[in-house]
Amino acid sequence: MRIIENNKSVLENKKSLGRLIDSHLEPLLTDRRKNQQKILEICHVGKFLMFFENDFEISKVTEKPDFILTNGTEYVGLEHQILVDNKSKEREGFFKNIFDLAELELKKDNSLPNFLANCYLLPYVNFKLSEKEELIATVVRVVKKYVLTDILEKNPIIERIWKMPHSGINISENLGAWWQKDLTNEILIKAVSKKEKLISKYKENSTEKQWLLIVIGSNGDSSYLIDRNITYNVKSEFDKIFVLEDFNNNLYEIK
């Protein structure tokens, strides 16, 4: 495993990222909701390419593979994959959906001032899907009372609330502290194998040389982090395999 360094300053990285992705993002921003996944992919690939001292750039945004890169003399197909622990991700998604729907209800309430509320959930809280409507109603009731009275009523989901004046009505869920999981060799091999099943299609649609970019390390319980004590041993038809720790901005060349 090789650690690839990015020694640019914050300002240099900002300029570099804009140069790499702005022209590809612009046509997608007209419908952010529809293009959310592709926008995220482009941002990840932009961060990835910043490690290459301007050697490579995005030639084309495609599908299977997700991108075609070029350095002016050669072309490379790049497939992008976000790797998370699916069970933890489902839990994060469940609570995000609860609070998104509660926020919509709170926006309809003309008795409320504009505010931003960060809601910290009780530790290890879990609910069934059948309890969804009741949970939404509970969040709406608890947040409204707290905003109007500064009193947090006893409830089964929210431990504490931090609020401040805001330009609109917005609430967010905070799952509190978490332990990110180490990326094991087995998990990495499984992720690579999943993408490798389509490598002949990637080559057919783009070029012979193929890279795989696996993105880990966001800021949730579903995230993985590289364990630098592990020797990652991955055999693959991909010419190169990279792992990007998104939040920490670390890049590793696995193959």
Side-chain angles (χ1 to χ4, degrees), residues 14-252:
K14 185 177 180 180
K15 289 181 178 179
S16 178
L17 185 61
R19 179 186 62 80
L20 287 164
I21 70 174
D22 283 356
S23 63
H24 301 287
L25 280 180
E26 188 174 352
L28 301 178
L29 297 179
T30 55
D31 192 340
R32 290 173 180 267
R33 184 178 295 273
K34 176 184 176 183
N35 299 318
Q36 182 179 8
Q37 179 60 32
K38 206 59 175 181
I39 290 170
L40 180 61
E41 290 177 7
I42 291 173
C43 291
H44 283 158
V45 172
K47 289 182 70 174
F48 164 68
L49 292 176
M50 287 194 299
F51 285 85
F52 288 85
E53 300 295 339
N54 300 326
D55 285 345
F56 280 91
E57 61 183 31
I58 299 171
S59 172
K60 190 175 181 181
V61 179
T62 59
E63 295 292 341
K64 296 181 181 180
D66 294 308
F67 300 89
I68 298 175
L69 310 179
T70 184
N71 62 0
T73 58
E74 67 173 335
Y75 289 90
V76 177
L78 178 73
E79 181 66 7
H80 166 279
Q81 181 182 15
I82 298 174
L83 181 58
V84 296
D85 177 67
N86 289 327
K87 187 174 181 180
S88 297
K89 192 66 177 177
E90 286 177 6
R91 181 174 181 269
E92 293 169 5
F94 176 78
F95 286 111
K96 184 180 187 306
N97 184 246
I98 294 294
F99 279 80
D100 284 348
L101 293 172
E103 179 181 280
L104 291 176
E105 292 302 312
L106 289 164
K107 287 178 183 288
K108 299 174 186 177
D109 194 329
N110 295 326
S111 69
L112 289 170
N114 289 339
F115 66 90
L116 171 65
N118 193 356
C119 304
Y120 293 81
L121 275 57
L122 287 161
Y124 312 113
V125 65
N126 277 296
F127 296 97
K128 297 177 182 178
L129 187 60
S130 59
E131 299 172 289
K132 180 177 177 180
E133 295 302 323
E134 182 181 347
L135 288 172
I136 295 169
T138 299
V139 171
V140 170
R141 185 184 71 253
V142 170
V143 171
K144 178 178 179 177
K145 184 174 181 178
Y146 187 80
V147 168
L148 295 176
T149 68
D150 285 327
I151 296 172
L152 179 62
E153 71 172 67
K154 188 175 181 180
N155 69 91
I157 182 170
I158 299 174
E159 181 179 40
R160 58 191 172 94
I161 299 175
W162 174 87
K163 66 169 181 170
M164 64 176 288
H166 193 51
S167 58
I169 292 178
N170 296 104
I171 64 173
S172 62
E173 75 289 352
N174 190 316
L175 295 173
W178 60 81
W179 291 100
Q180 290 179 312
K181 306 166 184 65
D182 287 333
L183 179 64
T184 65
N185 202 50
E186 290 74 20
I187 292 171
L188 182 58
I189 289 172
K190 185 176 180 181
V192 172
S193 297
K194 179 181 177 181
K195 289 296 184 179
E196 195 161 70
K197 292 176 182 178
L198 294 172
I199 198 164
S200 59
K201 178 63 70 174
Y202 301 155
K203 291 181 178 181
E204 179 184 333
N205 291 343
S206 58
T207 184
E208 189 66 22
K209 184 173 286 189
Q210 296 293 319
W211 292 358
L212 175 61
L213 173 63
I214 296 175
V215 180
I216 61 172
S218 61
N219 57 350
D221 182 55
S222 61
S223 302
Y224 292 108
L225 289 177
I226 284 283
D227 183 347
R228 296 191 182 189
N229 295 315
I230 289 180
T231 300
Y232 292 100
N233 184 20
V234 181
K235 296 180 180 179
S236 172
E237 291 185 49
F238 282 101
D239 295 277
K240 290 190 177 183
I241 298 171
F242 300 91
V243 174
L244 174 67
E245 283 183 341
D246 186 22
F247 188 76
N248 293 332
N249 199 31
N250 293 324
L251 182 65
Y252 303 88

